[in-house]
Amino acid sequence: MSAALLRPGRYSATWTSAPRKYGKWSKVISITALQGVSPASINGFRTILTRTDAGQSSLTPRLRPKRLAIDPDLFRIQGTIIPEVLPVTGFFATYTSAYTWLHYTFADQAIGVGSSIIPLLSFVIGLLLAFRTNLAYDRFWEGRKLWANFAALSRNLARLTWASNPKSHTLEDGRRNQPALEAKTALINLTLALAVSTKHHLRHEPGVNYPDLVYLLPPDFVEKVSASSTGKQKPLVPNTIGARNLPMEITHLMSRRLIELRDKLYIDSNLYGAMVFLINDMVQTISSMERVSNTPMPTAYTVHLKQVLGLYCLALPPQLIGTLGVWEIPVVSFAAFSLFGVARIGDEIEDPFGYNPNHLKLDQFCEDLKVELEAITEEAQKDAGTTDEIFEIK
């Protein structure tokens, strides 16, 4: 990293030893501000400089872990599809072993066939697997892009909410305008609640009684939505399905709160239209994520692919027995493990919003968004003294 990225000032370069877990003992550079050496003197050192939380203005290196000669993922099982593929691999290993035993037991009978079928079937299976995997990853990547766009819209809405008409935060006598701060904080809370409710909605989890969601919503709203989910009361939005479409209910409440902020002059009327467009774009993004989640691969294609893979693995032992002998057992087992493993990966990532280790980390995304939205209201937190006082909806 170029020293030009450091803050202007004078620095001193101090050599220290890296911990053993980062590889061999090597020299790394530690930069401390205001101690006699200019930034130009440390150009050329390959180190990553990050600011610490120390009282002084200082920078310390963030060390890269050692590059191992053998990738540890080579022996990794957790988070892979190995446990799910082992049963089918064991089946074809058993089938190949039985076929090999029959071949050598009844060697006087020609139970082997030629290997001319392998190239033809390999070509067809390669096309099917490539199409399946590419389509599944496209859905996974589209889900990630949609959530990134949703997070950007949430940040922009929260930013405009808090930055719009900052004069409304204080009264004429200089005291804090508590109603204005609470109204803006409530809308920011609803922005975060929309993200959390979308996460649960994409995972097909209805209702509002989740620890990361219920505290963000007004109590009267929670009561109405809970009643609508049990059929005791109509949904807040006509022609909707109540709590089973909770993000839609929250966007409706956000629109009402936004109108109230405009009417009370807590936000600029010039920015009101832009904020409405942000909410509209958030609804559009949620609908796109629903499309990814609720549109699975056609059953006919998925079933046909698995059937073709099964027939291919069943046809391998008669074609390989003449050239490989007993070695066909591990070869066929590895082929079944590889082919069904790729197919299983496609099944796993085509809906990226679940709880699987290979799915998108929606819980972490929502937590990161929560931290960012809390930072936006940092000014009000300082005035209130505690975070809980501001981030609690009255």
Side-chain angles (χ1 to χ4, degrees):
M1 178 178 291
S2 173
L5 298 179
L6 299 175
R7 285 190 173 185
R10 302 183 65 82
Y11 300 80
S12 66
T14 305
W15 290 100
T16 57
S17 296
R20 285 190 181 276
K21 68 178 181 178
Y22 290 98
K24 297 180 180 179
W25 287 89
S26 58
K27 300 296 183 180
V28 296
I29 190 169
S30 177
I31 311 301
T32 305
L34 306 176
Q35 291 185 7
V37 180
S38 66
S41 65
I42 60 173
N43 275 332
F45 290 107
R46 300 182 62 186
T47 183
I48 302 175
L49 302 177
T50 57
R51 184 163 298 280
T52 65
D53 295 329
Q56 299 180 352
S57 178
S58 61
L59 292 172
T60 57
R62 185 180 67 215
L63 303 175
R64 289 192 178 98
K66 176 184 177 181
R67 294 182 178 179
L68 301 178
I70 300 178
D71 195 329
D73 288 342
L74 183 62
F75 307 101
R76 179 179 176 181
I77 296 180
Q78 184 179 6
T80 67
I81 45 85
I82 292 179
E84 301 180 31
V85 180
L86 282 180
V88 68
T89 303
F91 169 79
F92 284 105
T94 304
Y95 161 75
T96 306
S97 301
Y99 185 90
T100 304
W101 178 81
L102 290 175
H103 176 79
Y104 285 105
T105 301
F106 303 97
D108 55 330
Q109 300 183 16
I111 59 176
V113 297
S115 58
S116 59
I117 302 179
I118 293 182
L120 178 61
L121 291 179
S122 299
F123 177 75
V124 174
I125 288 178
L127 290 178
L128 292 174
L129 284 178
F131 177 76
R132 177 72 179 92
T133 306
N134 290 338
L135 184 59
Y137 186 77
D138 286 343
R139 292 164 58 90
F140 178 87
W141 185 240
E142 184 181 6
R144 182 64 186 95
K145 291 190 296 183
L146 289 171
W147 188 271
N149 182 59
F150 182 80
L153 294 172
S154 301
R155 293 164 183 156
N156 287 331
L157 180 60
R159 174 177 56 85
L160 291 180
T161 300
W162 201 257
S164 178
N165 194 14
K167 294 181 180 180
S168 65
H169 296 179
T170 56
L171 300 173
E172 295 181 356
D173 57 1
R175 292 183 296 110
R176 186 182 60 175
N177 188 355
Q178 185 68 22
L181 294 176
E182 289 184 354
K184 287 190 173 184
T185 301
L187 183 57
I188 295 178
N189 278 336
L190 289 177
T191 303
L192 177 60
L194 180 60
V196 177
S197 65
T198 300
K199 174 190 70 173
H200 291 293
H201 180 66
L202 294 174
R203 291 173 172 175
H204 307 285
E205 298 171 345
V208 296
N209 294 319
Y210 301 100
D212 57 348
L213 175 61
V214 67
Y215 78 98
L216 296 169
L217 299 171
D220 57 339
F221 178 83
V222 173
E223 183 179 357
K224 291 180 180 180
V225 172
S226 301
S228 67
S229 63
T230 58
K232 297 180 180 180
Q233 185 172 335
K234 294 182 178 180
L236 298 180
V237 184
N239 300 322
T240 63
I241 54 178
R244 287 180 295 174
N245 194 8
L246 185 59
M248 182 61 187
E249 304 280 353
I250 293 178
T251 55
H252 178 71
L253 181 60
M254 291 173 64
S255 299
R256 286 173 25 190
R257 291 292 175 87
L258 187 59
I259 294 175
E260 294 175 2
L261 289 175
R262 182 200 61 183
D263 294 341
K264 295 179 181 180
L265 302 180
Y266 293 158
I267 62 174
D268 296 329
S269 58
N270 295 332
L271 293 178
Y272 171 77
M275 298 171 74
V276 170
F277 278 115
L278 287 175
I279 295 179
N280 293 341
D281 289 341
M282 294 169 77
V283 174
Q284 179 63 39
T285 304
I286 293 173
S287 300
S288 299
M289 287 190 284
E290 288 177 337
R291 170 176 51 81
V292 174
S293 178
N294 299 330
T295 309
M297 283 288 294
T299 303
Y301 182 87
T302 303
V303 172
H304 183 70
L305 175 61
K306 302 294 179 58
Q307 292 174 344
V308 171
L309 292 179
L311 292 175
Y312 178 77
C313 292
L314 289 174
L316 283 179
Q319 299 175 76
L320 299 179
I321 190 65
T323 57
L324 298 180
V326 295
W327 289 103
E328 72 168 353
I329 298 176
V331 170
V332 174
S333 301
F334 177 75
F337 174 81
S338 302
L339 296 175
F340 282 94
V342 173
R344 179 55 192 160
I345 291 174
D347 294 339
E348 193 165 287
I349 66 175
E350 69 174 356
D351 183 5
F353 302 114
Y355 288 98
N356 194 282
N358 295 306
H359 290 163
L360 296 177
K361 306 299 187 291
L362 296 186
D363 294 324
Q364 185 61 47
F365 295 162
C366 291
E367 183 64 26
D368 293 342
L369 184 61
K370 176 178 179 293
V371 173
E372 294 169 357
L373 298 190
E374 286 179 350
I376 291 178
T377 59
E378 183 178 2
E379 177 184 354
Q381 295 178 28
K382 292 179 180 178
D383 293 338
T386 62
T387 302
D388 294 337
E389 183 178 348
I390 284 296
F391 272 81
E392 179 181 359
I393 297 180
K394 304 297 181 181

